[in-house]
Amino acid sequence: SPDKFNATLYDAITLVIITPQAFAGMWINAFIVSVLCGTWLKKKTFSSNEKILLVLGCSRFCYLCSTWIYSFLSVIYPWCFYVHPIPPLFAAFRSFFDSSNLWASACLCGFYCIKIATFRNIFFIYLKVKIDRIIPWLLLGLLLSSLFFCILAYDFTDKTCCQNLSSTTLGNLWASSVRRDEHIFPILLITGLAFTSSFMAVTFSVLLLLFSLWRHKHKMQSNSMKDLSVDAHIKAMKSILSLFIIYSINFIFLVLMLIYATKTENPVMFLTSILLYVFPSVHSLLLILSNPKLEKALLRTLPCVKCKVCMK
């Protein structure tokens, strides 16, 4: 049928475009995880920053991997999405990894803000002193909240699939009301809730750091002094502002996906589904370039890759 052909063509084009993005993002995040694990094996310690980066790298790698497999099966073997419990399992995994990815990003911004910003508020000073002890519990809460969204996504998709599959026979499988876009919207709504919360946390952290930087520079200029902490402020602001810009763009496309969730062949939906792959890859690359340890490891790796390519 025309609908079936259009849906298959749409999935095939999407798969061709997102495949290099997905594999690049998986390589970048796998690199972050491998470097951090190698450092842990040598020093047997993890800093708070490295703990957040480890969770972030793992969640992004798993998210890109599961999403690419979903797109691959949509083209190669679409009928598997009518077999229970494949649809709810995919929905649960993607929701868990996407939520943990968003919350870990927000946690990283909050960590930079508390560590670098200078405020005399008693509560802020308490957080600055106790942040290294708070981070493990914060990451645990992050994983538990992601598990909560995972269970909700599974429940939504499972109920939808059961209702649809109970009225579907093999002869009229495609003509029936079973469509994947019918249970995408509740999942996107759940993801949107998690993303909005994390986006607000990132925005709040950026505003606090901007205010702290402006006040600190004004104080140093008035006293005709130069402080190394200004450089720390600026370096952290570059990293957080880059995340904030990418977050803002990602938020816009997520809203567009919510609006056009039931119109899978729409050009806006097509562009949105492709560009949402950019965020985990680009921001992870920026994190590598802003982290001296990861940047040095990357510079050591690139010549080895070039040598192997030349030998082949």
Side-chain angles (χ1 to χ4, degrees), residues 161-176:
C161 289
C162 287
Q163 290 174 358
N164 288 329
L165 290 175
S166 62
S167 61
T168 302
T169 61
L170 187 61
N172 61 351
L173 187 59
W174 188 266
S176 68

Side-chain angles (χ1 to χ4, degrees), residues 44-279:
K44 302 297 182 182
T45 57
F46 259 144
S47 65
S48 297
N49 182 42
E50 290 173 340
K51 291 174 184 176
I52 301 173
L53 286 175
L54 182 65
V55 174
L56 185 61
C58 290
S59 61
R60 284 180 173 173
F61 176 85
C62 294
Y63 171 74
L64 289 170
C65 184
S66 61
T67 307
W68 182 84
I69 292 174
Y70 179 88
S71 300
F72 179 78
L73 292 176
S74 298
V75 177
I76 304 301
Y77 192 60
W79 304 111
C80 70
F81 292 103
Y82 303 109
V83 179
H84 191 270
I86 292 179
L89 285 177
F90 264 105
F93 283 131
R94 293 173 67 186
S95 178
F96 177 83
F97 294 128
D98 195 21
S99 299
S100 58
N101 162 33
L102 297 173
W103 275 111
S105 302
C107 184
L108 186 64
C109 284
F111 175 79
Y112 283 150
C113 177
I114 293 172
K115 275 289 187 180
I116 298 175
T118 54
F119 295 103
R120 295 182 179 179
N121 183 274
I122 297 177
F123 180 70
F124 192 85
I125 295 174
Y126 174 81
L127 289 178
K128 187 181 285 287
V129 174
K130 299 291 185 180
I131 186 64
D132 291 325
R133 295 183 180 181
I134 295 174
I135 287 298
W137 294 103
L138 192 61
L139 292 176
L140 178 61
L142 177 155
L143 295 175
L144 290 177
S145 64
S146 299
L147 182 62
F148 171 74
F149 285 113
C150 167
I151 295 172
L152 285 180
Y154 183 93
D155 184 61
F156 271 121
T157 312
D158 184 54
K159 289 180 179 178
T160 305
C161 289
C162 287
Q163 290 174 358
N164 288 329
L165 290 175
S166 62
S167 61
T168 302
T169 61
L170 187 61
N172 61 351
L173 187 59
W174 188 266
S176 68
S177 61
V178 181
R179 289 180 57 87
R180 279 177 284 128
D181 55 9
E182 289 181 358
H183 35 83
I184 285 178
F185 183 77
I187 301 167
L188 290 178
L189 193 60
I190 295 170
T191 305
L193 177 62
F195 183 79
T196 303
S197 302
S198 61
F199 181 75
M200 294 300 296
V202 171
T203 303
F204 190 65
S205 300
V206 170
L207 292 176
L208 282 178
L209 265 179
L210 278 173
F211 179 73
S212 175
L213 176 61
W214 173 82
R215 192 180 66 171
H216 192 71
K217 287 188 68 177
H218 181 73
K219 182 179 179 181
M220 292 299 103
Q221 289 174 355
S222 62
N223 295 335
S224 300
M225 296 173 60
K226 185 177 180 181
D227 195 350
L228 293 176
S229 62
V230 175
D231 295 331
H233 274 73
I234 295 174
K235 188 174 182 180
M237 279 308 305
K238 288 180 180 179
S239 178
I240 290 186
L241 279 175
S242 63
L243 171 62
F244 180 70
I245 293 172
I246 300 172
Y247 242 102
S248 302
I249 297 173
N250 198 44
F251 180 76
I252 294 172
F253 283 113
L254 184 62
V255 172
L256 290 175
M257 178 170 280
L258 288 172
I259 295 173
Y260 294 97
T262 58
K263 303 175 182 179
T264 55
E265 287 80 34
N266 188 283
V268 177
M269 185 64 181
F270 176 73
L271 180 63
T272 301
S273 61
I274 292 173
L275 291 178
L276 284 177
Y277 275 84
V278 177
F279 171 69

